[in-house]
Amino acid sequence: MADHSSRATTERTDAARPWPLLVAVGLAGSEVGIVVDLVPVAVAGLVVFAASVAGVLADAEYVDRPLTLVTTFGAVFVVVGGVLAAHGTGTLPIAPLEPLSGLTSRGIALVLAGLVTVVGAGLVRAREPTQRPSDPHDD
C-alpha cells in the first residue's frame, strides 16, 4: 500500500474554488436588493457577481485579463442603469417599460454598482506590480 500523505499539492481542486458560490451569492444579493429596493445590497451583489464571473472565466482560461472584463461589466451596469433611471424620471420615455414602476431607484443601484465596479477594478489594476521589460544586461 502506497503512502500518499507526504505528497503535497499546491493546486486547489475545482471543488475548492470559491467562484461558483460567489456567483450565486452575488446574483441572489443583487436580486434581493433590487426587488426589495435595498440599494446597498443590490450594489454589493452586483459587484460580487461581476467580479466572480470574471474569476470563473479567468480560472477556466477563457479570458486573459479579468480586470478588463470586470470593467466592461461595470460600464454595462452604468449604461443600463442610466437608461432605467432616465426612464423612471420621465426624461427618456420607453414604451415597453411604461407599466413598470420603481425603475429610478433600480437604475440608480445599477449606476452605483457600475461605478463601484469600475473604480474597484482600477484600484486593483493600480496595485498590480508593474512588469518591466527584461534587461539583457541583468544576467
Side-chain angles (χ1 to χ4, degrees):
M1 178 179 263
D3 180 23
H4 297 290
S5 62
S6 64
R7 190 172 81 190
T9 59
T10 58
E11 188 174 323
R12 294 190 302 188
T13 64
D14 286 340
R17 298 188 190 242
W19 304 121
L21 176 64
L22 290 175
V23 169
V25 168
L27 190 59
S30 65
E31 287 295 320
V32 167
I34 287 174
V35 169
V36 181
D37 203 17
L38 293 172
V39 173
V41 174
V43 169
L46 287 167
V47 171
V48 168
F49 176 72
S52 58
V53 167
V56 166
L57 295 176
D59 274 354
E61 297 178 356
Y62 285 123
V63 293
D64 293 327
R65 301 184 333 173
L67 288 177
T68 303
L69 181 63
V70 170
T71 304
T72 304
F73 265 113
V76 169
F77 290 163
V78 168
V79 169
V80 172
V83 169
L84 291 177
H87 173 74
T89 59
T91 307
L92 178 68
I94 302 171
L97 299 179
E98 287 301 325
L100 302 176
S101 64
L103 293 182
T104 304
S105 63
R106 290 174 174 107
I108 291 171
L110 276 168
V111 169
L112 289 174
L115 292 175
V116 169
T117 302
V118 169
V119 169
L123 290 174
V124 169
R125 185 171 284 141
R127 293 193 67 188
E128 286 182 343
T130 57
Q131 296 179 0
R132 62 182 188 134
S134 61
D135 188 3
H137 301 289
D138 285 346
D139 292 329

